[in-house]
Amino acid sequence: MKNIVLIGFMGVGKGSVAREIVKVSKMVALDTDDIIESMENRRIKKIFEEEGEEYFRALERKVARWLKKSVENTLISTGGGFYKVPNLKKVGTVVLLNAPFDVIYQRILEHPNAEKKLKKRPLFQDLERARALYEERFPLYLKAADIVIDVDGKEIPKIAKEILKKVKAK
Ligand code: S3P
């Protein structure tokens, strides 16, 4: 089976959905941010602070090339900007988790570790800038996706089921 690549804005729930899919399927999961942190032996926040965003984006492209060459039958969750890698569609079936910005922000705030979740995300330091980034990316996410899943108001298990069903039907 092809890989499944989860894309979507910061905080939309890519990680939670990936963990659920692993629970209910035979797939194993990888996360592009985790791969980058291990490659660099430092946190994303540190990489942004010490090297800047473009350095991080180049690492994402490197990871994408490796995934395409070496990984299959895997659920791949990605950072919110990973959709920009040029070979995205070749990595696997691209599934967008889609929700309005305010729903995403609310979801982060309701999390017991909300402060930590915001702090570790360099592009979510300022609410209005994050909103602008969302607006800018929204049409690009839609364009990048093979499958769009609206997640607003849905429980994680339902989202996971929907993804597996739609990917199979592709
Ligand atoms: C980013 C999202 C982050 C992380 C980095 C950049 C983005 O991942 O890759 O901070 O450009 O949207 P999450 O989507 O897991 O927060």
Side-chain angles (χ1 to χ4, degrees), residues 4-10 12-14 17 75-76 78-83 88-89 92-100 104 134 137-152 154 159 162-163 166-167 170:
I4 299 177
V5 186
L6 288 184
I7 65 164
F9 202 68
M10 295 173 271
V12 75
K14 291 164 292 188
V17 169
L75 190 282
I76 300 163
T78 67
F82 190 83
Y83 75 98
L88 183 70
K89 285 234 163 78
T93 305
V94 182
V95 177
L96 170 66
L97 301 188
N98 186 45
I104 292 173
Y134 175 94
R137 283 182 179 174
F138 181 71
L140 306 173
Y141 281 140
L142 289 176
K143 226 163 123 184
D146 297 309
I147 295 169
V148 179
I149 308 281
D150 290 315
V151 299
D152 187 9
K154 287 181 196 157
I159 299 168
E162 199 177 322
I163 291 172
K166 289 197 172 153
V167 167
K170 265 257 157 198

Side-chain angles (χ1 to χ4, degrees), residues 10 14 31-61 63 77-82 116-125 137:
M10 295 173 271
K14 291 164 292 188
D31 180 278
T32 60
D33 280 348
D34 290 348
I35 297 170
I36 288 171
E37 289 189 343
S38 0
M39 280 161 67
E40 288 283 305
N41 194 26
R42 50 186 165 169
R43 296 286 181 201
I44 303 289
K45 187 169 176 259
K46 267 262 158 10
I47 301 173
F48 268 74
E49 276 166 15
E50 294 175 357
E51 317 288 348
E53 182 172 347
E54 188 36 47
Y55 179 90
F56 175 76
R57 299 300 171 202
L59 290 174
E60 288 190 311
R61 293 192 290 273
V63 169
S77 55
T78 67
F82 190 83
K116 208 172 140 207
K117 293 214 157 253
L118 287 170
K119 232 172 143 182
K120 73 169 193 182
R121 293 180 159 115
L123 301 179
F124 219 129
Q125 297 312 297
R137 283 182 179 174

Side-chain angles (χ1 to χ4, degrees), residues 93-112:
T93 305
V94 182
V95 177
L96 170 66
L97 301 188
N98 186 45
F101 180 79
D102 289 321
V103 170
I104 292 173
Y105 186 53
Q106 206 49 43
R107 184 179 176 274
I108 296 177
L109 291 185
E110 277 162 13
H111 197 278

